[in-house]
Amino acid sequence: MTQDARQRWQQRYDSALAAGRVRDADFTTLSGDEVQPVYGPADESAVENFERIGYPGEFPFTRGLHATGYRGRPWTIRQFAGFGNARQTNERYRMILAEGGGGLSVAFDMPTLMGRDSDDPRSLGEVGHCGVAIDTAADMDVLFDGIDLAGTTTSMTISGPAVPVFCMYLVAAERQGAAVESLNGTLQTDIFKEYIAQKEWLFAPEPHLRLIGDLMEYCAENIPAYKPISVSGYHIREAGSTAAQELAYTLADGFAYVELGLSRGLDIETFAPGLSFFFDAHIDFFEEIAKFRAARRIWARWLRDVYGATTEKAQQLRFHTQTAGVSLTAQQPDNNIVRTTIEAMAAVMGGTQSLHTNALDEVLALPSAKAAQIALRTQQVIAEETGVMNVADPLGGSWYVEALTDEMERQAEAIFARITGMGSDGTMTSGILRGIEDGWFTGDIAEAAFVYQRALEKGDKKVVGVNTLTGSVDADDKLEILRVSHEVERDQKAELAGRRQHRDDAAARAAVARMVEVGRTEQNMIPAMLDAVRAEATLGEICDALRAEWGGYTEPARF
């Protein structure tokens, strides 16, 4: 980076301003003092390795993807929600959008996450309890009733049965009359993190990767704005990993999906921008900011130097953040509002593209309407009152933050070397598959979780209300939490039975059989799966047919 890095940034900012990509807003402090869009050193040459820090909008994007920061576009307020049946969740979505939410994020119940229908015996007692129950495309119609899918970005947090659920989303958009090719949103689809942390898979890794490769191809060719994979570190961190482990495992998984796209002959400049990321924002404020900054820098460098991406769009890491569910406490739950606020601020200071803030009662149940509104308002207070959107990467250049960012990168690179060293051919994919098979990831996370738990029990790490300051002025104060009625499961099963009775059953079964036949070839399975969904084949029927074809997967026992 030469002496004129600031001038290059200024040219980018001025171009954005001229093009109308800077918000017309008050960019002053609370006292009325004007602030600049970005700050940097008076003499770049005096800062060692300044090219690793740079300015926003410039490789390696340590300080953000855009020269304008949030002056150009605020982060999207994307609240994760789903409970009961599609009608109940639709009501919550309408509330979120009416109250200022900028996008939707769908939480599915456990049967849906496992590719089971609501009337499957293994679904008993779980329907609608940790998210919304989705059995057929008709449920998607109800879920998004009155919500313009063409104009609303929608994220769906599901991996094992992600592809058939995505097909249901597309069919719901078709039925609305939306231009499907213009849809914008994100599907999680990250199967690696399921074997590493969350454990919600349907098959062995290889057939999952077949489906993911088909999805990447289909979206690149037909729905270019849609992001078919959201590589998830959130669940890795929630399982007990350190920040560096979350960073490294997540980016390693991302590199493996790049390798998958390249193995399919896809153009990296086309498919790499469709890979997004999903990180946890934990309670250690500065460590989290450093993690986000390091993630952008590492991704940009690897995409350019290892995988050959030449365009900025392909080198840029885009991510959603959710505040740390594992940091919430059942004791003194009002304290969770403070924790969530700090974590949300870390995500914003780190430059997140979208954000979910957890509700204070999520440690006990799905959020009540009041708690959900407080969580939403938390983001809105940060956005509207604190001035954090006025300056891009306001902590850039801090000795502490820059040192933490460098340390995050160093630890991540050491982990990458271990992963690639485990594989048979030096690729990240081979190393990840071997690490899954050997239980290396789960063992490493378990050790990190044990170390932290021991520190809590010894009192070296403090959690207010849990192992310190446990007194309360009202020990009997009880939260009113959201409870999902048993009637949801009864009604959902009845609804599903009615749909099966009134559909063209032969056509649905034939479409599922045709999908399986396509799976035996090298053809893309998405069109055949869409046909099955249009015929009202259920999620369980589609997934069971694939289980019968590809077999299930049981994690080997390890001690």
Side-chain angles (χ1 to χ4, degrees), residues 25-38:
D26 173 22
F27 300 124
T28 65
T29 68
L30 192 64
S31 302
D33 297 325
E34 187 173 350
V35 295
Q36 297 300 311
V38 74

Side-chain angles (χ1 to χ4, degrees), residues 119-137:
D119 59 359
D120 188 307
R122 287 160 289 196
S123 301
L124 184 64
E126 296 290 342
V127 176
H129 279 273
C130 71
V132 63
I134 298 294
D135 291 310
T136 71

Side-chain angles (χ1 to χ4, degrees), residues 175-191:
R175 292 172 177 172
Q176 282 190 1
V180 172
E181 64 275 8
S182 66
L183 292 176
N184 196 344
T186 305
L187 188 68
Q188 189 164 94
T189 332
D190 177 11
I191 205 61

